[in-house]
Amino acid sequence: MEQIQISFSRKKILVSISLLDLGDLESRLLNIPGICQELPRLTIAALRYANDMAQRVELFSPHESPKEEQAIIAIALLVRMLETVESILILSIYGARQELESLFRIFLDVYFLVANVTRDANFVGIYLRTDEKERLKLMNSSEKHENELFNQLKAYATDDIRNALKQRIKDEEIKDFNSWEYANNVGCGVLYDSVYRIKSSAVHTGARCLEDYLDVDENGDLTHIRRRPNDDVVNSNIPAMIDSLLRVLGGICDVTGEDKTKYEALAADIDTAMQTHAHNA
């Protein structure tokens, strides 16, 4: 009997380009009081390089190896990171205060993830499977409420489906999403226990974050609830964010086989500007 061969064609994965006018963004960043004048130029240069890389890397679906899957997830996380970076820059221009802190903590979450992904292809599966724990939590939460918001989920999440998911989580030893663990995996435990924890107050609107809006006089009496840019936060967050983005781009170059010539030139240029900024701060 003649053997029938079935071939599956793979499709190239397309990556959308940012809709932001990066030239306009750069000019607006230059108007932030006290900002190192080289930082906007180099920040935009890093964004352009990262966006170009995301579009240039060849990714195909379905993937045929753990390394290909690693590259796909790394680029997906890079896009998530770029969206966060661009959001921070936009809000920096228009005078947000605590929301810059909230977004920077989100940025760190992405940073820890992509650092793990580019370091170890096996982490991809660990990360993706954390969603199974989240699914189970949602199913269990729906049982606590008699509300139409949960009707559709309750209809789907029968005892059989919920028990099967529980068993899968147990059999595969699926873990919860854990930023602390991910940070420690890549040598960022100190960063997590300092910057990440401090900025968590903004995410949850903890009492500490309100201090950023309040002015008091020498007697400790409240005089003003302000809503103005926090230049100190802007000028500290942007350099730290761009430094982290560069580290991510270096890791993605290694995973995807991207030539590092342009990356290394950009990194050297930004390093010089960072040193100048730190000296003048």
Side-chain angles (χ1 to χ4, degrees):
M1 179 182 294
E2 183 180 354
Q3 185 175 6
I4 299 176
Q5 294 185 341
I6 302 176
S7 63
F8 297 94
S9 60
R10 300 209 298 163
K11 295 183 179 179
K12 191 175 188 301
I13 299 172
L14 303 178
V15 180
S16 299
I17 192 171
S18 172
L19 296 178
L20 278 181
D21 182 338
L22 294 180
D24 179 65
L25 186 60
E26 179 180 352
S27 65
R28 291 176 183 273
L29 286 170
L30 284 166
N31 292 323
I32 295 176
I35 195 167
C36 169
Q37 293 297 289
E38 278 292 279
L39 277 180
R41 178 181 70 82
L42 296 171
T43 298
I44 298 305
L47 284 175
R48 285 200 173 102
Y49 175 84
N51 276 293
D52 288 345
M53 173 196 278
Q55 292 185 296
R56 189 167 55 244
V57 171
E58 291 201 336
L59 307 171
F60 295 93
S61 179
H63 61 270
E64 293 182 340
S65 68
K67 187 171 182 61
E68 286 189 356
E69 183 183 36
Q70 180 187 27
I72 291 169
I73 299 304
I75 294 297
L77 286 170
L78 174 61
V79 170
R80 166 64 168 153
M81 175 174 277
L82 292 177
E83 183 179 85
T84 308
V85 170
E86 291 169 353
S87 298
I88 289 172
L89 295 177
I90 291 169
L91 290 181
S92 296
I93 292 166
Y94 289 103
R97 298 183 72 84
Q98 281 294 301
E99 205 54 39
L100 294 179
E101 305 283 52
S102 300
L103 281 170
F104 195 83
R105 203 204 81 160
I106 293 170
F107 172 86
L108 289 176
D109 271 320
V110 187
Y111 176 63
F112 299 150
L113 286 170
V114 74
N116 275 273
V117 167
T118 55
R119 171 177 170 266
D120 180 10
N122 292 323
F123 178 79
V124 172
I126 294 171
Y127 165 51
L128 295 179
R129 286 194 296 274
T130 60
D131 190 58
E132 299 302 325
K133 294 292 289 280
E134 296 303 315
R135 288 181 62 221
L136 183 59
K137 288 176 185 177
L138 283 171
M139 291 179 189
N140 290 339
S141 294
S142 71
E143 294 302 309
K144 301 176 185 177
H145 305 280
E146 292 298 330
N147 188 288
E148 62 182 12
L149 287 173
F150 294 99
N151 288 346
Q152 189 173 358
L153 178 56
K154 284 183 176 182
Y156 165 77
T158 62
D159 288 343
D160 287 344
I161 287 186
R162 193 160 52 249
N163 289 333
L165 182 55
K166 286 180 183 177
Q167 191 61 46
R168 185 190 170 202
I169 289 170
K170 180 180 179 181
D171 293 344
E172 297 182 17
E173 298 181 342
I174 295 174
K175 297 181 179 180
D176 286 304
F177 186 99
N178 190 326
S179 285
W180 181 87
E181 182 178 318
Y182 304 155
N184 277 276
N185 285 348
V186 293
C188 291
V190 172
L191 181 61
Y192 181 96
D193 281 325
S194 55
V195 177
Y196 185 93
R197 289 191 184 279
I198 289 169
K199 294 185 185 298
S200 292
S201 176
V203 174
H204 303 297
T205 313
R208 179 182 297 272
C209 84
L210 293 183
E211 294 178 0
D212 200 27
Y213 298 97
L214 308 178
D215 282 335
V216 295
D217 60 21
E218 62 275 8
N219 298 317
D221 295 326
L222 179 63
T223 61
H224 184 201
I225 300 176
R226 61 180 176 265
R227 190 179 180 187
R228 293 290 184 272
N230 188 331
D231 301 333
D232 291 338
V233 171
V234 171
N235 287 303
S236 62
N237 277 359
I238 291 179
M241 182 174 64
I242 297 307
D243 179 67
S244 300
L245 176 59
L246 278 177
R247 295 173 188 271
V248 162
L249 293 173
I252 292 178
C253 281
D254 293 335
V255 166
T256 62
E258 174 84 0
D259 182 87
K260 276 191 163 183
T261 304
K262 290 183 179 179
Y263 164 77
E264 289 170 350
L266 176 65
D269 203 6
I270 289 178
D271 183 61
T272 300
M274 293 293 188
Q275 292 183 33
T276 301
H277 176 72
H279 178 75
N280 294 333

